[in-house]
Amino acid sequence: MKTENLIDLLARNVEPAQRPRFVQRLAAMLALGLAAALLLLLLAFGVRPDMATAPIPVMLKAMFSAAAAAVALPLAMRLMRPGRPLGWRVGALLVFVGVSALATIIALMGEMPERRLDAWLGGGFPWCLVLVPLLGAPAAALLMWLMRSFAPTKLASAGAAIGAVSGGVGAMAYSMYCPVDSIAFVTTWYVLAIAICAALGALVGSRLLRW
Amino acid sequence: MTDEAAFRALLLKGLSGDEAAHRSFLTEAAGLLRAFFRNRLRGRPEDAEDLVQETLVALHTRRDTYDPNYPLTAWMYAIARYRLIDFLRRSKLRAHASLDGVDVADVDPDYDASDARRDVATLLSKLPEKQRTAIRLVKLEEKSVREAADETGFSESDIKISVHRGLKTLMHLMGQEQPT
């Protein structure tokens, strides 16, 4: 088929394009993803036993996770539609990581030297590295599916942004279970767990987001 | 015409359902894309034309992703670049390898500007039946959506959705092909 015939085919009887509801659909996916993460958490692990008596640390950790998701979200939204510069959005992400690193150092300085390692590692293996990606997986799947109906042209970046947002969502759920409340633990391992989600997202996205 | 504002106006009119404007937009885009791909795939004009066609279908099926706050050409070339990268990955060639051993003067001046290697008509015949029928009636036989609906017994919105899905499937099939 010649190109001019193809143009005829595409143009003929063209319908008015529907205005895509980017924000509504994105919000719906995020809400669903969070609900799925919470459900998964409740079914598989349950909330921490002292949830009722320790609402403040849980809330702070959930807010920190939400902030991480919120910082990655503008990048994901940018990458949905081609030809738009990322601008300040990368900077915002870097500032978040920088502030987290700084908070880790300050928090550890405030601990007694013999308690520092415990405050940092939370007294064991930081399970969030495994569980946050797991809990973020439903959100990631939903966001990938949404992204596919748009036109991402930088697949690895788009996948990484989706991974980071989903990691933040997963971490929000995980904070209801996570028994460690030390600041340095959260600012190190939550951020790393979300970074793992971003890396996984880049890997998966560069395949899955092809269109 | 390479006037961004006029080019953009064509797409926006097309988005609101203006067939003539949409045709002009696609024709204009085809010219720009042809130059873009030929520059990057020297000596392989059929591949370049395949990419022109593939990108036109991409622009058409994803036209609602254009953000009017940014230049239209940025949107178009971002998609074109993506199609090119995807194509090179599919053909397992690196961009520089494709330039090896090809003289710029190899481009045949008599070569018909719109001959592609791949035949879109063949790909269309691979669509699921409902999508194929909808596209045949509305896009090839120039029937209105209403007439197509009457003829097939589907509802009008069913026909519209099938055309839209069919073109997306076509896009997908184009991306699946292994270039030779």
Side-chain angles (χ1 to χ4, degrees):
Chain A
M1 188 182 279
K2 299 220 177 231
T3 303
E4 52 263 43
N5 303 123
L6 178 68
I7 290 174
D8 269 340
L9 182 150
L10 293 174
R12 191 168 294 138
N13 281 321
V14 75
E15 291 291 329
Q18 283 170 353
R19 279 194 60 234
R21 300 171 185 280
F22 296 103
V23 179
Q24 291 93 324
R25 291 175 66 192
L26 193 62
M29 292 305 132
L30 286 173
L32 270 175
L34 181 61
L38 287 170
L39 197 69
L40 204 60
L41 180 87
L42 288 177
L43 291 178
F45 309 103
V47 295
R48 54 191 269 182
D50 59 346
M51 176 83 170
T53 51
I56 302 288
V58 169
M59 216 150 73
L60 286 178
K61 283 189 284 186
M63 276 166 60
F64 179 78
S65 309
V71 159
L73 191 60
L75 280 170
M77 288 175 73
R78 273 276 122 161
L79 291 161
M80 285 161 85
R81 301 159 79 183
R84 304 186 300 170
L86 295 179
W88 54 267
R89 292 159 190 84
V90 181
L93 191 72
L94 294 178
V95 167
F96 182 83
V97 174
V99 168
S100 300
L102 203 65
T104 310
I105 294 167
I106 292 172
L108 286 180
M109 300 288 270
E111 294 283 350
M112 303 296 275
E114 62 275 16
R115 287 212 57 245
R116 273 185 199 149
L117 195 64
D118 255 6
W120 191 51
L121 290 175
F125 181 78
W127 279 103
C128 59
L129 294 184
V130 181
L131 296 178
V132 165
L134 206 67
L135 293 171
L142 289 164
L143 290 174
M144 290 279 179
W145 176 73
L146 179 69
M147 182 72 99
R148 277 174 63 91
S149 65
F150 293 98
T153 53
K154 294 172 183 154
L155 305 192
S157 309
I162 287 177
V165 173
S166 316
V169 170
M172 280 171 80
Y174 181 70
S175 58
M176 318 261 161
Y177 171 75
C178 172
V180 187
D181 292 333
S182 120
I183 293 176
F185 178 86
V186 174
T187 51
T188 304
W189 302 108
Y190 276 39
V191 170
L192 259 179
I194 293 168
I196 289 175
C197 296
L200 288 174
L203 265 175
V204 174
S206 53
R207 272 150 235 259
L208 206 67
L209 293 175
R210 278 191 61 211
W211 57 281
Chain B
M1 182 191 78
T2 39
D3 178 5
E4 166 83 28
F7 191 31
R8 190 165 166 276
L10 287 176
L11 174 74
L12 294 179
K13 271 196 227 160
L15 279 171
S16 58
D18 182 333
E19 182 177 325
H22 193 51
R23 180 175 285 111
S24 309
F25 162 73
L26 291 171
T27 308
E28 187 64 31
L32 294 170
L33 292 170
R34 190 167 291 128
F36 177 87
F37 288 124
R38 285 196 169 195
N39 252 319
R40 284 158 182 79
L41 297 169
R42 284 175 207 275
R44 298 162 64 187
E46 291 102 341
D47 286 339
E49 202 59 29
D50 273 359
L51 276 164
V52 171
Q53 296 193 352
E54 204 177 301
T55 309
L56 286 174
V57 179
L59 296 180
H60 175 82
T61 52
R62 311 276 163 151
R63 63 206 170 109
D64 55 359
T65 66
Y66 170 58
D67 182 342
N69 298 315
Y70 295 88
L72 174 58
T73 40
W75 174 76
M76 182 181 81
Y77 286 124
I79 292 179
R81 217 168 288 123
Y82 169 65
R83 299 294 348 155
L84 178 67
I85 290 168
D86 193 69
F87 169 85
L88 292 172
R89 204 171 283 155
R90 265 181 280 149
S91 55
K92 305 225 186 322
L93 283 172
R94 305 215 173 271
H96 60 82
S98 69
L99 300 176
D100 285 348
V102 178
D103 198 299
V104 178
D106 277 358
V107 178
D108 178 0
D110 294 330
Y111 178 77
D112 188 326
S114 60
D115 264 328
R117 192 188 293 282
R118 156 211 313 131
D119 188 15
V120 174
T122 316
L123 285 183
L124 282 174
S125 68
K126 291 185 187 161
L127 296 184
E129 195 189 338
K130 191 170 172 188
Q131 296 174 4
R132 194 177 61 229
T133 311
I135 289 185
R136 178 173 54 80
L137 293 172
V138 178
K139 294 296 200 177
L140 295 173
E141 295 181 6
E142 310 190 37
K143 294 212 162 76
S144 69
V145 173
R146 149 120 287 156
E147 287 165 341
D150 287 344
E151 194 172 325
T152 54
F154 295 127
S155 72
E156 284 187 46
S157 67
D158 233 12
I159 294 284
K160 286 183 201 169
I161 290 169
S162 297
V163 169
H164 186 66
R165 292 217 177 121
L167 291 176
K168 283 201 164 174
T169 316
L170 174 66
M171 175 83 255
H172 183 69
L173 290 175
M174 287 173 139
Q176 293 271 302
E177 280 193 325
Q178 296 294 324
T180 42

